[in-house]
Amino acid sequence: MSGSALFVHHDKSMNYRFHDHHPFHPIRLQLTLDLLSSIGALAPSQMLLSRPASDEELMWIHQPAYIEAVKALSQATPEPDWIGRAEQYGLMDEDTPYFAGMHEAASYVTGGTITAVEAVMSGKSTHALHLGGGLHHALSAKAAGFCVYNDAAVAISYARRHYNARVLYVDTDVHHGDGVQWSFYSDPEVCTYSIHETGKYLFPGTGYLNERGEHQGYGACLNVPLQPYTEDASWMECFEQSISRLTAYFKPDLIVSLHGCDAHALDPLSHMHCSMDIYNRMPAILHELAHTYCEGRWVAVGGGGYDMWRVVPRAWGLLWLEMSHHPLKQALDEGDPAHAHLPQSWIDKWQGQTQQTLPTEWLDDLSRWEGIPRRDEITAKNRENLAVALQEYPET
């Protein structure tokens, strides 16, 4: 598969930071940038500087009163009246507390994903990655789940308004992509897909099989809820079958994918038991689908992932290696032991900043992992849900 790839970034998006001990910390992105730079996989010619989203663009998804509240609570010392109303807008809880500079930082996050969409839809690049994006829980008038502005939804609206594109949104975060789903729930030209741990046990408590869209948008929404402690084989079986069937059915002009990496067994905020293998394989499937149905047009963003030292840099690094068609990715797929190791310079640089032992290889050594006792039961339940999810979409 040929095609060019751009890495979209702006330092101001690194200011999207609630506090030092918050799990959604920008060091995740810094670790990834440094890992890619240390192996020579991120050339200056591949970098694209992003811009902030305008208020007009934000209002495609968010209500004006909400944007006003975000701006007011972004001041170094917000007025008491606004502090009293912060809970109304979802900006007072432990997950998404307001912080100084919040509006500007979230605008740059949103503008980065718009920049990625524009780069691909204008033909400047075949693929574009904006790892700073992925705030998929933000709602029309309320922040939620670490998310203030919904960059993916705003950028999809940009593709619709400026290019009249049919967009397939693919969410592989372990948490359901609720904010994006609800933004386009009645729109037949935007298809939203999410594979995630069932909302029966995990935030945000949505993403069930019966959520299929409404009115003209019925059928343009597919959820694949999986059981806790799902492992690689079952996750990939469900993902590959469902996303291949849906893409063939919908025939998009553009794929926008979100790559939270919190279904990994080490992630502290979910109950799944997957390894780095799914984060190596899922981007390859999306890459092929983009070339098959969209002339290669593919935009990817970051998302969740809260084992920020051992999981996120590797998962996001593998995503860029796939998008940029880097030779290291092929070597890893072929099992070449000479290329299995992470650069020692990266390990030496960061090991002193964490008590966790940094990984030494790109992929996990599964021979050391214990199996899940309920594997057969979990796999059977996931297959049952998959069959229900796909019943609306005929095989081609």
Side-chain angles (χ1 to χ4, degrees), residues 226-231 234 238 271-273 372-385:
L226 301 180
Q227 295 299 295
Y229 304 103
T230 292
E231 297 169 281
S234 183
C238 292
H271 315 100
M272 306 304 257
H273 203 70
I372 297 297
R374 295 176 51 250
R375 177 183 294 163
D376 291 345
E377 179 184 341
I378 291 167
T379 299
K381 182 60 177 178
N382 287 342
R383 285 175 176 165
E384 178 184 324
N385 285 345

mmCIF file with all atom_site columns, all heavy atoms in Angstrom, residues 226-231 234 238 271-273 372-385:
data_model
loop_
_atom_site.group_PDB
_atom_site.id
_atom_site.type_symbol
_atom_site.label_atom_id
_atom_site.label_alt_id
_atom_site.label_comp_id
_atom_site.label_asym_id
_atom_site.label_entity_id
_atom_site.label_seq_id
_atom_site.pdbx_PDB_ins_code
_atom_site.Cartn_x
_atom_site.Cartn_y
_atom_site.Cartn_z
_atom_site.occupancy
_atom_site.B_iso_or_equiv
_atom_site.pdbx_formal_charge
_atom_site.auth_seq_id
_atom_site.auth_comp_id
_atom_site.auth_asym_id
_atom_site.auth_atom_id
_atom_site.pdbx_PDB_model_num
ATOM 1   N N   . LEU A 1 226 ? -17.896 -5.787  24.151 1.00 0.00 ? 226 LEU A N   1
ATOM 2   C CA  . LEU A 1 226 ? -17.199 -7.034  24.481 1.00 0.00 ? 226 LEU A CA  1
ATOM 3   C C   . LEU A 1 226 ? -17.179 -7.266  25.986 1.00 0.00 ? 226 LEU A C   1
ATOM 4   O O   . LEU A 1 226 ? -17.263 -6.329  26.783 1.00 0.00 ? 226 LEU A O   1
ATOM 5   C CB  . LEU A 1 226 ? -15.761 -6.988  23.942 1.00 0.00 ? 226 LEU A CB  1
ATOM 6   C CG  . LEU A 1 226 ? -15.613 -6.803  22.424 1.00 0.00 ? 226 LEU A CG  1
ATOM 7   C CD1 . LEU A 1 226 ? -14.144 -6.768  22.042 1.00 0.00 ? 226 LEU A CD1 1
ATOM 8   C CD2 . LEU A 1 226 ? -16.348 -7.905  21.664 1.00 0.00 ? 226 LEU A CD2 1
ATOM 9   N N   . GLN A 1 227 ? -17.023 -8.509  26.347 1.00 0.00 ? 227 GLN A N   1
ATOM 10  C CA  . GLN A 1 227 ? -17.025 -8.898  27.754 1.00 0.00 ? 227 GLN A CA  1
ATOM 11  C C   . GLN A 1 227 ? -15.721 -8.510  28.453 1.00 0.00 ? 227 GLN A C   1
ATOM 12  O O   . GLN A 1 227 ? -14.653 -8.487  27.829 1.00 0.00 ? 227 GLN A O   1
ATOM 13  C CB  . GLN A 1 227 ? -17.218 -10.413 27.867 1.00 0.00 ? 227 GLN A CB  1
ATOM 14  C CG  . GLN A 1 227 ? -18.570 -10.898 27.376 1.00 0.00 ? 227 GLN A CG  1
ATOM 15  C CD  . GLN A 1 227 ? -19.704 -10.301 28.173 1.00 0.00 ? 227 GLN A CD  1
ATOM 16  O OE1 . GLN A 1 227 ? -19.837 -10.569 29.369 1.00 0.00 ? 227 GLN A OE1 1
ATOM 17  N NE2 . GLN A 1 227 ? -20.523 -9.492  27.527 1.00 0.00 ? 227 GLN A NE2 1
ATOM 18  N N   . PRO A 1 228 ? -15.784 -8.216  29.748 1.00 0.00 ? 228 PRO A N   1
ATOM 19  C CA  . PRO A 1 228 ? -14.545 -8.012  30.505 1.00 0.00 ? 228 PRO A CA  1
ATOM 20  C C   . PRO A 1 228 ? -13.620 -9.214  30.358 1.00 0.00 ? 228 PRO A C   1
ATOM 21  O O   . PRO A 1 228 ? -14.087 -10.354 30.233 1.00 0.00 ? 228 PRO A O   1
ATOM 22  C CB  . PRO A 1 228 ? -15.027 -7.853  31.946 1.00 0.00 ? 228 PRO A CB  1
ATOM 23  C CG  . PRO A 1 228 ? -16.443 -7.382  31.818 1.00 0.00 ? 228 PRO A CG  1
ATOM 24  C CD  . PRO A 1 228 ? -16.984 -8.048  30.591 1.00 0.00 ? 228 PRO A CD  1
ATOM 25  N N   . TYR A 1 229 ? -12.332 -8.955  30.355 1.00 0.00 ? 229 TYR A N   1
ATOM 26  C CA  . TYR A 1 229 ? -11.274 -9.966  30.243 1.00 0.00 ? 229 TYR A CA  1
ATOM 27  C C   . TYR A 1 229 ? -11.195 -10.612 28.865 1.00 0.00 ? 229 TYR A C   1
ATOM 28  O O   . TYR A 1 229 ? -10.628 -11.696 28.699 1.00 0.00 ? 229 TYR A O   1
ATOM 29  C CB  . TYR A 1 229 ? -11.378 -11.013 31.362 1.00 0.00 ? 229 TYR A CB  1
ATOM 30  C CG  . TYR A 1 229 ? -11.339 -10.371 32.725 1.00 0.00 ? 229 TYR A CG  1
ATOM 31  C CD1 . TYR A 1 229 ? -12.495 -10.201 33.478 1.00 0.00 ? 229 TYR A CD1 1
ATOM 32  C CD2 . TYR A 1 229 ? -10.144 -9.853  33.223 1.00 0.00 ? 229 TYR A CD2 1
ATOM 33  C CE1 . TYR A 1 229 ? -12.465 -9.556  34.709 1.00 0.00 ? 229 TYR A CE1 1
ATOM 34  C CE2 . TYR A 1 229 ? -10.103 -9.205  34.453 1.00 0.00 ? 229 TYR A CE2 1
ATOM 35  C CZ  . TYR A 1 229 ? -11.262 -9.062  35.181 1.00 0.00 ? 229 TYR A CZ  1
ATOM 36  O OH  . TYR A 1 229 ? -11.224 -8.410  36.384 1.00 0.00 ? 229 TYR A OH  1
ATOM 37  N N   . THR A 1 230 ? -11.758 -9.924  27.864 1.00 0.00 ? 230 THR A N   1
ATOM 38  C CA  . THR A 1 230 ? -11.554 -10.354 26.485 1.00 0.00 ? 230 THR A CA  1
ATOM 39  C C   . THR A 1 230 ? -10.064 -10.313 26.156 1.00 0.00 ? 230 THR A C   1
ATOM 40  O O   . THR A 1 230 ? -9.356  -9.384  26.537 1.00 0.00 ? 230 THR A O   1
ATOM 41  C CB  . THR A 1 230 ? -12.331 -9.434  25.526 1.00 0.00 ? 230 THR A CB  1
ATOM 42  O OG1 . THR A 1 230 ? -13.734 -9.652  25.713 1.00 0.00 ? 230 THR A OG1 1
ATOM 43  C CG2 . THR A 1 230 ? -11.975 -9.704  24.077 1.00 0.00 ? 230 THR A CG2 1
ATOM 44  N N   . GLU A 1 231 ? -9.597  -11.330 25.425 1.00 0.00 ? 231 GLU A N   1
ATOM 45  C CA  . GLU A 1 231 ? -8.187  -11.404 25.028 1.00 0.00 ? 231 GLU A CA  1
ATOM 46  C C   . GLU A 1 231 ? -8.034  -11.103 23.538 1.00 0.00 ? 231 GLU A C   1
ATOM 47  O O   . GLU A 1 231 ? -9.014  -10.876 22.825 1.00 0.00 ? 231 GLU A O   1
ATOM 48  C CB  . GLU A 1 231 ? -7.644  -12.796 25.356 1.00 0.00 ? 231 GLU A CB  1
ATOM 49  C CG  . GLU A 1 231 ? -7.671  -13.102 26.854 1.00 0.00 ? 231 GLU A CG  1
ATOM 50  C CD  . GLU A 1 231 ? -7.377  -14.567 27.144 1.00 0.00 ? 231 GLU A CD  1
ATOM 51  O OE1 . GLU A 1 231 ? -8.298  -15.393 26.985 1.00 0.00 ? 231 GLU A OE1 1
ATOM 52  O OE2 . GLU A 1 231 ? -6.232  -14.879 27.513 1.00 0.00 ? 231 GLU A OE2 1
ATOM 53  N N   . SER A 1 234 ? -10.193 -13.026 20.574 1.00 0.00 ? 234 SER A N   1
ATOM 54  C CA  . SER A 1 234 ? -11.607 -12.693 20.495 1.00 0.00 ? 234 SER A CA  1
ATOM 55  C C   . SER A 1 234 ? -11.797 -11.236 20.074 1.00 0.00 ? 234 SER A C   1
ATOM 56  O O   . SER A 1 234 ? -12.686 -10.919 19.273 1.00 0.00 ? 234 SER A O   1
ATOM 57  C CB  . SER A 1 234 ? -12.296 -12.954 21.834 1.00 0.00 ? 234 SER A CB  1
ATOM 58  O OG  . SER A 1 234 ? -13.679 -12.707 21.746 1.00 0.00 ? 234 SER A OG  1
ATOM 59  N N   . CYS A 1 238 ? -13.718 -10.231 16.498 1.00 0.00 ? 238 CYS A N   1
ATOM 60  C CA  . CYS A 1 238 ? -14.874 -9.340  16.454 1.00 0.00 ? 238 CYS A CA  1
ATOM 61  C C   . CYS A 1 238 ? -14.566 -8.075  15.659 1.00 0.00 ? 238 CYS A C   1
ATOM 62  O O   . CYS A 1 238 ? -15.405 -7.610  14.869 1.00 0.00 ? 238 CYS A O   1
ATOM 63  C CB  . CYS A 1 238 ? -15.305 -8.978  17.869 1.00 0.00 ? 238 CYS A CB  1
ATOM 64  S SG  . CYS A 1 238 ? -15.992 -10.381 18.788 1.00 0.00 ? 238 CYS A SG  1
ATOM 65  N N   . HIS A 1 271 ? -11.052 -3.475  32.174 1.00 0.00 ? 271 HIS A N   1
ATOM 66  C CA  . HIS A 1 271 ? -10.980 -4.861  32.669 1.00 0.00 ? 271 HIS A CA  1
ATOM 67  C C   . HIS A 1 271 ? -10.640 -5.842  31.557 1.00 0.00 ? 271 HIS A C   1
ATOM 68  O O   . HIS A 1 271 ? -10.976 -7.016  31.645 1.00 0.00 ? 271 HIS A O   1
ATOM 69  C CB  . HIS A 1 271 ? -12.318 -5.250  33.308 1.00 0.00 ? 271 HIS A CB  1
ATOM 70  C CG  . HIS A 1 271 ? -12.895 -4.221  34.209 1.00 0.00 ? 271 HIS A CG  1
ATOM 71  N ND1 . HIS A 1 271 ? -13.894 -3.351  33.821 1.00 0.00 ? 271 HIS A ND1 1
ATOM 72  C CD2 . HIS A 1 271 ? -12.581 -3.899  35.485 1.00 0.00 ? 271 HIS A CD2 1
ATOM 73  C CE1 . HIS A 1 271 ? -14.191 -2.545  34.816 1.00 0.00 ? 271 HIS A CE1 1
ATOM 74  N NE2 . HIS A 1 271 ? -13.413 -2.851  35.840 1.00 0.00 ? 271 HIS A NE2 1
ATOM 75  N N   . MET A 1 272 ? -9.988  -5.368  30.496 1.00 0.00 ? 272 MET A N   1
ATOM 76  C CA  . MET A 1 272 ? -9.681  -6.241  29.366 1.00 0.00 ? 272 MET A CA  1
ATOM 77  C C   . MET A 1 272 ? -8.314  -6.895  29.544 1.00 0.00 ? 272 MET A C   1
ATOM 78  O O   . MET A 1 272 ? -7.525  -6.506  30.412 1.00 0.00 ? 272 MET A O   1
ATOM 79  C CB  . MET A 1 272 ? -9.742  -5.457  28.062 1.00 0.00 ? 272 MET A CB  1
ATOM 80  C CG  . MET A 1 272 ? -11.073 -4.728  27.866 1.00 0.00 ? 272 MET A CG  1
ATOM 81  S SD  . MET A 1 272 ? -12.512 -5.831  27.956 1.00 0.00 ? 272 MET A SD  1
ATOM 82  C CE  . MET A 1 272 ? -12.896 -5.999  26.230 1.00 0.00 ? 272 MET A CE  1
ATOM 83  N N   . HIS A 1 273 ? -8.034  -7.872  28.690 1.00 0.00 ? 273 HIS A N   1
ATOM 84  C CA  . HIS A 1 273 ? -6.780  -8.616  28.844 1.00 0.00 ? 273 HIS A CA  1
ATOM 85  C C   . HIS A 1 273 ? -6.079  -8.773  27.492 1.00 0.00 ? 273 HIS A C   1
ATOM 86  O O   . HIS A 1 273 ? -5.590  -9.847  27.147 1.00 0.00 ? 273 HIS A O   1
ATOM 87  C CB  . HIS A 1 273 ? -7.063  -9.984  29.468 1.00 0.00 ? 273 HIS A CB  1
ATOM 88  C CG  . HIS A 1 273 ? -5.870  -10.586 30.152 1.00 0.00 ? 273 HIS A CG  1
ATOM 89  N ND1 . HIS A 1 273 ? -5.343  -10.084 31.320 1.00 0.00 ? 273 HIS A ND1 1
ATOM 90  C CD2 . HIS A 1 273 ? -5.089  -11.641 29.826 1.00 0.00 ? 273 HIS A CD2 1
ATOM 91  C CE1 . HIS A 1 273 ? -4.307  -10.808 31.680 1.00 0.00 ? 273 HIS A CE1 1
ATOM 92  N NE2 . HIS A 1 273 ? -4.123  -11.759 30.790 1.00 0.00 ? 273 HIS A NE2 1
ATOM 93  N N   . ILE A 1 372 ? -6.915  -16.686 30.699 1.00 0.00 ? 372 ILE A N   1
ATOM 94  C CA  . ILE A 1 372 ? -8.117  -16.357 31.454 1.00 0.00 ? 372 ILE A CA  1
ATOM 95  C C   . ILE A 1 372 ? -8.959  -17.628 31.616 1.00 0.00 ? 372 ILE A C   1
ATOM 96  O O   . ILE A 1 372 ? -9.302  -18.283 30.623 1.00 0.00 ? 372 ILE A O   1
ATOM 97  C CB  . ILE A 1 372 ? -8.929  -15.273 30.714 1.00 0.00 ? 372 ILE A CB  1
ATOM 98  C CG1 . ILE A 1 372 ? -8.107  -13.985 30.617 1.00 0.00 ? 372 ILE A CG1 1
ATOM 99  C CG2 . ILE A 1 372 ? -10.256 -15.016 31.419 1.00 0.00 ? 372 ILE A CG2 1
ATOM 100 C CD1 . ILE A 1 372 ? -7.759  -13.355 31.947 1.00 0.00 ? 372 ILE A CD1 1
ATOM 101 N N   . PRO A 1 373 ? -9.319  -17.997 32.845 1.00 0.00 ? 373 PRO A N   1
ATOM 102 C CA  . PRO A 1 373 ? -10.065 -19.247 33.061 1.00 0.00 ? 373 PRO A CA  1
ATOM 103 C C   . PRO A 1 373 ? -11.382 -19.298 32.299 1.00 0.00 ? 373 PRO A C   1
ATOM 104 O O   . PRO A 1 373 ? -11.818 -20.374 31.876 1.00 0.00 ? 373 PRO A O   1
ATOM 105 C CB  . PRO A 1 373 ? -10.289 -19.257 34.579 1.00 0.00 ? 373 PRO A CB  1
ATOM 106 C CG  . PRO A 1 373 ? -9.174  -18.408 35.137 1.00 0.00 ? 373 PRO A CG  1
ATOM 107 C CD  . PRO A 1 373 ? -8.943  -17.348 34.113 1.00 0.00 ? 373 PRO A CD  1
ATOM 108 N N   . ARG A 1 374 ? -12.061 -18.157 32.119 1.00 0.00 ? 374 ARG A N   1
ATOM 109 C CA  . ARG A 1 374 ? -13.370 -18.123 31.475 1.00 0.00 ? 374 ARG A CA  1
ATOM 110 C C   . ARG A 1 374 ? -13.249 -17.823 29.979 1.00 0.00 ? 374 ARG A C   1
ATOM 111 O O   . ARG A 1 374 ? -14.205 -17.333 29.368 1.00 0.00 ? 374 ARG A O   1
ATOM 112 C CB  . ARG A 1 374 ? -14.251 -17.064 32.151 1.00 0.00 ? 374 ARG A CB  1
ATOM 113 C CG  . ARG A 1 374 ? -14.587 -17.370 33.599 1.00 0.00 ? 374 ARG A CG  1
ATOM 114 C CD  . ARG A 1 374 ? -15.387 -16.253 34.255 1.00 0.00 ? 374 ARG A CD  1
ATOM 115 N NE  . ARG A 1 374 ? -16.555 -15.866 33.467 1.00 0.00 ? 374 ARG A NE  1
ATOM 116 C CZ  . ARG A 1 374 ? -16.679 -14.699 32.820 1.00 0.00 ? 374 ARG A CZ  1
ATOM 117 N NH1 . ARG A 1 374 ? -15.684 -13.804 32.850 1.00 0.00 ? 374 ARG A NH1 1
ATOM 118 N NH2 . ARG A 1 374 ? -17.778 -14.414 32.135 1.00 0.00 ? 374 ARG A NH2 1
ATOM 119 N N   . ARG A 1 375 ? -12.129 -18.106 29.376 1.00 0.00 ? 375 ARG A N   1
ATOM 120 C CA  . ARG A 1 375 ? -11.891 -17.737 27.981 1.00 0.00 ? 375 ARG A CA  1
ATOM 121 C C   . ARG A 1 375 ? -12.989 -18.234 27.044 1.00 0.00 ? 375 ARG A C   1
ATOM 122 O O   . ARG A 1 375 ? -13.505 -17.472 26.224 1.00 0.00 ? 375 ARG A O   1
ATOM 123 C CB  . ARG A 1 375 ? -10.538 -18.275 27.519 1.00 0.00 ? 375 ARG A CB  1
ATOM 124 C CG  . ARG A 1 375 ? -10.246 -17.993 26.037 1.00 0.00 ? 375 ARG A CG  1
ATOM 125 C CD  . ARG A 1 375 ? -8.933  -18.602 25.642 1.00 0.00 ? 375 ARG A CD  1
ATOM 126 N NE  . ARG A 1 375 ? -7.834  -17.950 26.351 1.00 0.00 ? 375 ARG A NE  1
ATOM 127 C CZ  . ARG A 1 375 ? -6.610  -18.473 26.451 1.00 0.00 ? 375 ARG A CZ  1
ATOM 128 N NH1 . ARG A 1 375 ? -6.350  -19.664 25.931 1.00 0.00 ? 375 ARG A NH1 1
ATOM 129 N NH2 . ARG A 1 375 ? -5.658  -17.824 27.089 1.00 0.00 ? 375 ARG A NH2 1
ATOM 130 N N   . ASP A 1 376 ? -13.364 -19.497 27.143 1.00 0.00 ? 376 ASP A N   1
ATOM 131 C CA  . ASP A 1 376 ? -14.366 -20.059 26.226 1.00 0.00 ? 376 ASP A CA  1
ATOM 132 C C   . ASP A 1 376 ? -15.710 -19.359 26.396 1.00 0.00 ? 376 ASP A C   1
ATOM 133 O O   . ASP A 1 376 ? -16.403 -19.065 25.415 1.00 0.00 ? 376 ASP A O   1
ATOM 134 C CB  . ASP A 1 376 ? -14.512 -21.561 26.447 1.00 0.00 ? 376 ASP A CB  1
ATOM 135 C CG  . ASP A 1 376 ? -13.279 -22.340 26.009 1.00 0.00 ? 376 ASP A CG  1
ATOM 136 O OD1 . ASP A 1 376 ? -12.444 -21.765 25.286 1.00 0.00 ? 376 ASP A OD1 1
ATOM 137 O OD2 . ASP A 1 376 ? -13.157 -23.518 26.405 1.00 0.00 ? 376 ASP A OD2 1
ATOM 138 N N   . GLU A 1 377 ? -16.085 -19.107 27.622 1.00 0.00 ? 377 GLU A N   1
ATOM 139 C CA  . GLU A 1 377 ? -17.363 -18.436 27.901 1.00 0.00 ? 377 GLU A CA  1
ATOM 140 C C   . GLU A 1 377 ? -17.359 -16.999 27.364 1.00 0.00 ? 377 GLU A C   1
ATOM 141 O O   . GLU A 1 377 ? -18.332 -16.544 26.756 1.00 0.00 ? 377 GLU A O   1
ATOM 142 C CB  . GLU A 1 377 ? -17.601 -18.430 29.415 1.00 0.00 ? 377 GLU A CB  1
ATOM 143 C CG  . GLU A 1 377 ? -18.888 -17.745 29.833 1.00 0.00 ? 377 GLU A CG  1
ATOM 144 C CD  . GLU A 1 377 ? -19.025 -17.696 31.343 1.00 0.00 ? 377 GLU A CD  1
ATOM 145 O OE1 . GLU A 1 377 ? -18.340 -18.489 32.034 1.00 0.00 ? 377 GLU A OE1 1
ATOM 146 O OE2 . GLU A 1 377 ? -19.801 -16.847 31.832 1.00 0.00 ? 377 GLU A OE2 1
ATOM 147 N N   . ILE A 1 378 ? -16.257 -16.308 27.565 1.00 0.00 ? 378 ILE A N   1
ATOM 148 C CA  . ILE A 1 378 ? -16.132 -14.931 27.083 1.00 0.00 ? 378 ILE A CA  1
ATOM 149 C C   . ILE A 1 378 ? -16.170 -14.895 25.561 1.00 0.00 ? 378 ILE A C   1
ATOM 150 O O   . ILE A 1 378 ? -16.864 -14.065 24.959 1.00 0.00 ? 378 ILE A O   1
ATOM 151 C CB  . ILE A 1 378 ? -14.819 -14.308 27.622 1.00 0.00 ? 378 ILE A CB  1
ATOM 152 C CG1 . ILE A 1 378 ? -14.917 -14.103 29.134 1.00 0.00 ? 378 ILE A CG1 1
ATOM 153 C CG2 . ILE A 1 378 ? -14.507 -12.992 26.904 1.00 0.00 ? 378 ILE A CG2 1
ATOM 154 C CD1 . ILE A 1 378 ? -13.587 -13.785 29.796 1.00 0.00 ? 378 ILE A CD1 1
ATOM 155 N N   . THR A 1 379 ? -15.447 -15.789 24.938 1.00 0.00 ? 379 THR A N   1
ATOM 156 C CA  . THR A 1 379 ? -15.412 -15.839 23.474 1.00 0.00 ? 379 THR A CA  1
ATOM 157 C C   . THR A 1 379 ? -16.797 -16.132 22.902 1.00 0.00 ? 379 THR A C   1
ATOM 158 O O   . THR A 1 379 ? -17.226 -15.509 21.915 1.00 0.00 ? 379 THR A O   1
ATOM 159 C CB  . THR A 1 379 ? -14.411 -16.901 23.001 1.00 0.00 ? 379 THR A CB  1
ATOM 160 O OG1 . THR A 1 379 ? -13.101 -16.572 23.478 1.00 0.00 ? 379 THR A OG1 1
ATOM 161 C CG2 . THR A 1 379 ? -14.387 -16.987 21.482 1.00 0.00 ? 379 THR A CG2 1
ATOM 162 N N   . ALA A 1 380 ? -17.513 -17.050 23.511 1.00 0.00 ? 380 ALA A N   1
ATOM 163 C CA  . ALA A 1 380 ? -18.857 -17.404 23.035 1.00 0.00 ? 380 ALA A CA  1
ATOM 164 C C   . ALA A 1 380 ? -19.809 -16.222 23.154 1.00 0.00 ? 380 ALA A C   1
ATOM 165 O O   . ALA A 1 380 ? -20.614 -15.957 22.240 1.00 0.00 ? 380 ALA A O   1
ATOM 166 C CB  . ALA A 1 380 ? -19.389 -18.599 23.819 1.00 0.00 ? 380 ALA A CB  1
ATOM 167 N N   . LYS A 1 381 ? -19.742 -15.492 24.266 1.00 0.00 ? 381 LYS A N   1
ATOM 168 C CA  . LYS A 1 381 ? -20.615 -14.332 24.452 1.00 0.00 ? 381 LYS A CA  1
ATOM 169 C C   . LYS A 1 381 ? -20.275 -13.230 23.448 1.00 0.00 ? 381 LYS A C   1
ATOM 170 O O   . LYS A 1 381 ? -21.174 -12.590 22.881 1.00 0.00 ? 381 LYS A O   1
ATOM 171 C CB  . LYS A 1 381 ? -20.488 -13.809 25.874 1.00 0.00 ? 381 LYS A CB  1
ATOM 172 C CG  . LYS A 1 381 ? -21.401 -12.629 26.182 1.00 0.00 ? 381 LYS A CG  1
ATOM 173 C CD  . LYS A 1 381 ? -22.869 -12.980 26.010 1.00 0.00 ? 381 LYS A CD  1
ATOM 174 C CE  . LYS A 1 381 ? -23.765 -11.805 26.382 1.00 0.00 ? 381 LYS A CE  1
ATOM 175 N NZ  . LYS A 1 381 ? -25.203 -12.105 26.180 1.00 0.00 ? 381 LYS A NZ  1
ATOM 176 N N   . ASN A 1 382 ? -18.987 -13.016 23.203 1.00 0.00 ? 382 ASN A N   1
ATOM 177 C CA  . ASN A 1 382 ? -18.586 -12.013 22.225 1.00 0.00 ? 382 ASN A CA  1
ATOM 178 C C   . ASN A 1 382 ? -19.068 -12.381 20.820 1.00 0.00 ? 382 ASN A C   1
ATOM 179 O O   . ASN A 1 382 ? -19.506 -11.516 20.051 1.00 0.00 ? 382 ASN A O   1
ATOM 180 C CB  . ASN A 1 382 ? -17.067 -11.840 22.229 1.00 0.00 ? 382 ASN A CB  1
ATOM 181 C CG  . ASN A 1 382 ? -16.567 -11.095 23.454 1.00 0.00 ? 382 ASN A CG  1
ATOM 182 O OD1 . ASN A 1 382 ? -17.334 -10.422 24.145 1.00 0.00 ? 382 ASN A OD1 1
ATOM 183 N ND2 . ASN A 1 382 ? -15.274 -11.222 23.737 1.00 0.00 ? 382 ASN A ND2 1
ATOM 184 N N   . ARG A 1 383 ? -18.987 -13.646 20.469 1.00 0.00 ? 383 ARG A N   1
ATOM 185 C CA  . ARG A 1 383 ? -19.474 -14.092 19.160 1.00 0.00 ? 383 ARG A CA  1
ATOM 186 C C   . ARG A 1 383 ? -20.988 -13.917 19.048 1.00 0.00 ? 383 ARG A C   1
ATOM 187 O O   . ARG A 1 383 ? -21.502 -13.547 17.985 1.00 0.00 ? 383 ARG A O   1
ATOM 188 C CB  . ARG A 1 383 ? -19.091 -15.560 18.933 1.00 0.00 ? 383 ARG A CB  1
ATOM 189 C CG  . ARG A 1 383 ? -17.621 -15.761 18.594 1.00 0.00 ? 383 ARG A CG  1
ATOM 190 C CD  . ARG A 1 383 ? -17.265 -17.220 18.489 1.00 0.00 ? 383 ARG A CD  1
ATOM 191 N NE  . ARG A 1 383 ? -15.869 -17.375 18.063 1.00 0.00 ? 383 ARG A NE  1
ATOM 192 C CZ  . ARG A 1 383 ? -15.184 -18.513 18.162 1.00 0.00 ? 383 ARG A CZ  1
ATOM 193 N NH1 . ARG A 1 383 ? -15.778 -19.600 18.664 1.00 0.00 ? 383 ARG A NH1 1
ATOM 194 N NH2 . ARG A 1 383 ? -13.933 -18.572 17.758 1.00 0.00 ? 383 ARG A NH2 1
ATOM 195 N N   . GLU A 1 384 ? -21.675 -14.164 20.127 1.00 0.00 ? 384 GLU A N   1
ATOM 196 C CA  . GLU A 1 384 ? -23.133 -13.979 20.132 1.00 0.00 ? 384 GLU A CA  1
ATOM 197 C C   . GLU A 1 384 ? -23.473 -12.503 19.875 1.00 0.00 ? 384 GLU A C   1
ATOM 198 O O   . GLU A 1 384 ? -24.349 -12.182 19.065 1.00 0.00 ? 384 GLU A O   1
ATOM 199 C CB  . GLU A 1 384 ? -23.688 -14.428 21.483 1.00 0.00 ? 384 GLU A CB  1
ATOM 200 C CG  . GLU A 1 384 ? -25.184 -14.240 21.652 1.00 0.00 ? 384 GLU A CG  1
ATOM 201 C CD  . GLU A 1 384 ? -25.635 -14.617 23.056 1.00 0.00 ? 384 GLU A CD  1
ATOM 202 O OE1 . GLU A 1 384 ? -25.065 -15.576 23.626 1.00 0.00 ? 384 GLU A OE1 1
ATOM 203 O OE2 . GLU A 1 384 ? -26.543 -13.937 23.586 1.00 0.00 ? 384 GLU A OE2 1
ATOM 204 N N   . ASN A 1 385 ? -22.775 -11.608 20.560 1.00 0.00 ? 385 ASN A N   1
ATOM 205 C CA  . ASN A 1 385 ? -23.008 -10.181 20.359 1.00 0.00 ? 385 ASN A CA  1
ATOM 206 C C   . ASN A 1 385 ? -22.617 -9.735  18.955 1.00 0.00 ? 385 ASN A C   1
ATOM 207 O O   . ASN A 1 385 ? -23.283 -8.888  18.345 1.00 0.00 ? 385 ASN A O   1
ATOM 208 C CB  . ASN A 1 385 ? -22.234 -9.365  21.395 1.00 0.00 ? 385 ASN A CB  1
ATOM 209 C CG  . ASN A 1 385 ? -22.879 -9.408  22.768 1.00 0.00 ? 385 ASN A CG  1
ATOM 210 O OD1 . ASN A 1 385 ? -24.034 -9.801  22.915 1.00 0.00 ? 385 ASN A OD1 1
ATOM 211 N ND2 . ASN A 1 385 ? -22.127 -8.996  23.781 1.00 0.00 ? 385 ASN A ND2 1
#
